[in-house]
Amino acid sequence: MSQPPPPPNQPPQQPGFGPPQEPSEPQTPASPAPATPPTPPAQPPQQPPAGPDLNKAPQPQPGYGYPQAPGTPPPAAPPTPPQGPGYGYPQQPPADYGYPAQQPGPYGQPGPYGQPQQPGPYGQQPPYGYAQPTVPMQAQAGQPGGGRKVNAQVAIIVSAVVAIALIVGGGVWYANSSGKDDDKQTTAEGGDTKGGEGDGKEGGSGDGGATTGEAEEKAPAATGSKVLFQVPSPKVPKGVTTISIAGSWLTDSVYAKSGLSEITGYDRKSGTKKWTLDLPGPVCAATPHVTEDNKTAIVHKPAMPSKTDPQACTEVAVVDLAAGSKVWTKTAKSGTMPVSFNNVTIGGGTVAAGSTSGGAAWDLATGDERWAPKTSDSCYDAGYGGGAKLVAVRKCGSYDQRQLHIQNVDPKTGDVLAEYKMDEGIEYAAVVSTDPLVVAADVGDSAGDGSGISDFFSIDNKTGKLRARLSAPGDEFAARCDAIYKVENCTGVTVGNDRLYIATEEHDSGGDSYSQTNEVVAFDLATGKQTGQRADAGENYEIFPLRMDGPDVIAYKRPPYDKGGQVVSIDGESFKETILMENPSTEAVRDVESRMSPDYSEIQFGQGGLYMSSVYASDFTSREKEYSVIAFGTE
């Protein structure tokens, strides 16, 4: 078993740290370790790199034609895992057209069915832990790519045998203590304590949105928080290595969280169960968006996976988070085969789901089919970004001539309202925001850190013209996007005020100490240049923007080994930081919090409550005392 990485500010015990990859990402996943003070070095360590050039202008936009490696048959044996895992919330792999997906065992070992992990394409390990899906072969020809047709059948045949990365999240112990009285600790046993808090319109990654209204989050009289509740990690079925529990949402009264085959709504302050929605199988994908009337969308499996049948992600459902009920469930077919979906979102009253094996869109209220992507010999909708608008990432061409079309689509008809064609050779793009429209991409595989981002593209969603290109080298900036399957899944970045707010990589904080720090900086989406605004994390803290709050930025500060985390509000103009929450610094609480890294956990904050949750349950978490949720609140 590989050793888990240490808590912040301790040297890693093995190469690489961060979230596991999406399906088809063979790698050796990391597992967090208890937070303990680091041993002072016997000799001064090598000085970390200096911080990023905060005045760097965007790089010139390269021309078309990034070369891609020609395809060759994969090797018979799995390749050596990459040194550092890439980014992405793990999901159950799609088992398209009845082909069961392989499931690796814990820590990168072969799967429980005696199957080796799937090697990367081209007969070698894919860069940064990314594996590229098979180019879909369309059954219907003679129709041009780029458009849509109402109720058109999607005829895509994909043979995808993929591996799934294991993540171990959650905590090991719980102390009900406040930041002001760290010595008063009580353990919390039992599996029925739950919780929740927040406003569903606030939480989640994805659409940054155009900034409107006043900031709602205010600093309390006392910023010291206490642990409100925790939820133990669920037990996975015998013979199953790992199961997705992705999906968490905030409403005015409920914190809702996915379990093995259910979604549970908890009272956001007490953790009392308010409702439980039973599902036939696990949640594969979930949109972070919640409508004004507390509706959201998920993709789930039709049954629990087993040793012989991992199940495919075929069921798209709308969930009422206020009532704890399912509004409707739909499926789609490609020819005669059910489509296995990788992602789902909500935009303009439409639920849209996509994957390499097809896509579909339904009316949010009724579940009636609205449209399906037009089929062609060379194009398919990889996925959608939602929120204020609905944006499709459409892939066209073969691997050696791949081109992505970023399309602002009419939610009701699927008609393309505006389109931006990215440079050929860019394999993946993620939608950071739909209004203003911002996408992220790793141009020419140049990020070098598995983040999936080397550049951001600010696009006019009315004309489809490029407004600006923002250079964000992977060695300088810490945002991450999983553009392979979860098209709107990005962390460490948010959008508002016609600006992009992004975390920098950790670097030497200066002086004689060997402490680390980072910042949040802003880019102007009209010019592509940095504004000069900068919010510092502080010595040995690491800051991550979570979302916008009116004109302000809500950010989480991951703490040093001997302190609790913080939530701050950053003024959108002055960049002055206001502390909204300081978590307990007791070792027991830190052990749980440190396992909820912003890179591979779901973090929601609203109305004085912070909710951190895992996105996976595994046979390891079933054996150990782990938690899938920890919630903090101020008085």
Side-chain angles (χ1 to χ4, degrees):
M1 179 184 300
S2 60
Q3 293 298 314
N9 307 316
Q10 289 184 266
Q13 300 175 19
Q14 65 179 18
F17 178 75
Q21 283 301 321
E22 288 297 322
S24 299
E25 318 303 318
Q27 63 180 36
T28 303
S31 173
T36 55
T39 303
Q43 58 185 7
Q46 182 178 358
Q47 285 284 0
D53 180 0
L54 300 179
N55 295 310
K56 185 178 221 177
Q59 298 297 316
Q61 183 167 345
Y64 282 69
Y66 294 105
Q68 298 296 310
T72 58
T80 302
Q83 292 300 307
Y87 174 73
Y89 286 164
Q91 288 294 329
Q92 296 291 42
D96 297 332
Y97 309 110
Y99 294 108
Q102 297 182 17
Q103 297 224 21
Y107 309 107
Q109 299 301 316
Y113 319 133
Q115 299 169 333
Q117 297 188 45
Q118 180 71 6
Y122 318 136
Q124 58 185 3
Q125 186 69 25
Y128 324 132
Y130 284 176
Q132 303 181 12
T134 305
V135 178
M137 300 298 293
Q138 307 289 344
Q140 295 184 8
Q143 294 175 330
R148 281 170 178 71
K149 181 179 180 181
V150 176
N151 294 329
Q153 282 190 333
V154 182
I156 305 172
I157 302 176
V158 178
S159 175
V161 181
V162 293
I164 188 166
L166 171 67
I167 175 173
V168 178
V172 295
W173 197 77
Y174 155 74
N176 185 10
S177 59
S178 70
K180 293 186 182 265
D181 192 0
D182 292 339
D183 294 331
K184 295 180 180 179
Q185 304 176 354
T186 58
T187 59
E189 300 295 339
D192 288 335
T193 55
K194 325 323 192 230
E197 132 82 67
D199 181 351
K201 276 66 73 179
E202 303 161 346
S205 60
D207 178 37
T211 301
T212 58
E214 299 280 332
E216 296 181 356
E217 303 296 344
K218 307 297 182 184
T223 59
S225 71
K226 65 179 180 180
V227 177
L228 299 176
F229 61 89
Q230 91 295 336
V231 179
S233 295
K235 306 291 185 182
V236 300
K238 185 177 180 180
V240 176
T241 303
T242 183
I243 289 180
S244 167
I245 54 171
S248 60
W249 306 269
L250 294 173
T251 74
D252 290 336
S253 60
V254 168
Y255 170 73
K257 173 61 184 172
S258 296
L260 287 188
S261 59
E262 64 183 16
I263 299 174
T264 303
Y266 305 102
D267 181 274
R268 65 189 190 190
K269 292 190 181 295
S270 68
T272 303
K273 271 188 182 180
K274 300 190 76 170
W275 50 261
T276 297
L277 172 61
D278 292 325
L279 300 171
V283 173
C284 307
T287 180
H289 303 298
V290 178
T291 65
E292 291 293 332
D293 59 350
N294 297 317
K295 304 295 194 306
T296 193
I298 62 172
V299 175
H300 67 84
K301 296 190 174 188
M304 287 298 292
S306 66
K307 185 175 181 179
T308 58
D309 187 358
Q311 297 292 324
C313 301
T314 57
E315 316 296 302
V316 177
V318 166
V319 175
D320 186 330
L321 297 172
S325 61
K326 188 185 291 187
V327 180
W328 51 257
T329 302
K330 298 293 180 180
T331 60
K333 289 186 177 181
S334 175
T336 60
M337 304 304 297
V339 175
S340 182
F341 294 103
N342 302 129
N343 56 76
V344 65
T345 195
I346 295 174
T350 292
V351 176
S355 73
T356 58
S357 58
W362 301 269
D363 183 276
L364 173 63
T366 66
D368 294 338
E369 184 178 347
R370 283 188 163 176
W371 47 265
K374 181 181 289 186
T375 60
S376 76
D377 286 336
S378 60
C379 294
Y380 66 97
D381 283 8
Y384 305 93
K389 297 186 183 296
L390 188 63
V391 172
V393 176
R394 189 165 177 84
K395 291 191 175 185
C396 293
S398 58
Y399 278 118
D400 57 347
Q401 290 183 313
R402 171 76 76 216
Q403 187 173 42
L404 301 183
H405 299 191
I406 308 301
Q407 300 176 333
N408 180 21
V409 302
D410 185 317
K412 291 182 172 57
T413 66
D415 293 338
V416 178
L417 303 177
E419 180 179 72
Y420 172 69
K421 296 181 180 180
M422 303 190 77
D423 291 353
E424 288 186 3
I426 300 176
E427 291 288 336
Y428 306 103
V431 179
V432 182
S433 167
T434 60
D435 187 20
L437 178 52
V438 180
V439 298
D442 187 358
V443 179
D445 294 333
S446 60
D449 62 348
S451 66
I453 305 172
S454 67
D455 297 82
F456 292 91
F457 296 79
S458 173
I459 301 167
D460 188 312
N461 54 22
K462 293 183 180 179
T463 65
K465 294 182 178 180
L466 182 69
R467 298 176 64 200
R469 179 167 168 178
L470 293 62
S471 177
D475 60 347
E476 295 183 16
F477 295 93
R480 293 174 177 270
C481 290
D482 171 22
I484 296 180
Y485 287 108
K486 304 297 178 292
V487 168
E488 61 178 3
N489 183 15
C490 296
T491 62
V493 63
T494 191
V495 172
N497 305 321
D498 207 34
R499 295 169 186 166
L500 181 139
Y501 301 97
I502 183 173
T504 67
E505 288 284 3
E506 279 193 297
H507 56 82
D508 180 14
S509 59
D512 296 331
S513 69
Y514 295 97
S515 61
Q516 297 277 287
T517 191
N518 79 323
E519 303 82 28
V520 169
V521 298
F523 282 85
D524 188 308
L525 292 176
T527 66
K529 297 179 180 180
Q530 290 191 35
T531 64
Q533 296 166 307
R534 166 176 169 167
D536 296 317
E539 186 173 351
N540 283 329
Y541 283 88
E542 187 176 8
I543 189 169
F544 296 84
L546 297 178
R547 62 172 177 86
M548 299 301 298
D549 175 30
D552 300 340
V553 179
I554 301 297
Y556 171 72
K557 289 187 177 182
R558 197 173 191 206
Y561 70 88
D562 58 348
K563 296 180 181 179
Q566 296 180 349
V567 177
V568 299
S569 176
I570 304 170
D571 186 278
E573 291 301 324
S574 69
F575 254 46
K576 177 183 177 181
E577 295 181 43
T578 300
I579 295 178
L580 302 178
M581 175 180 288
E582 296 178 278
N583 291 339
S585 60
T586 53
E587 182 179 358
V589 176
R590 294 196 321 265
D591 281 350
V592 181
E593 183 178 5
S594 66
R595 283 163 168 75
M596 303 293 184
S597 165
D599 280 340
Y600 61 87
S601 300
E602 295 172 342
I603 300 180
Q604 307 271 12
F605 179 83
Q607 302 179 21
L610 174 68
Y611 304 87
M612 311 177 77
S613 65
S614 304
V615 295
Y616 244 72
S618 71
D619 56 357
F620 179 83
T621 60
S622 295
R623 295 193 303 268
E624 303 295 330
K625 185 66 173 179
E626 301 266 352
Y627 292 101
S628 62
V629 175
I630 186 168
F632 300 91
T634 54
E635 296 294 343

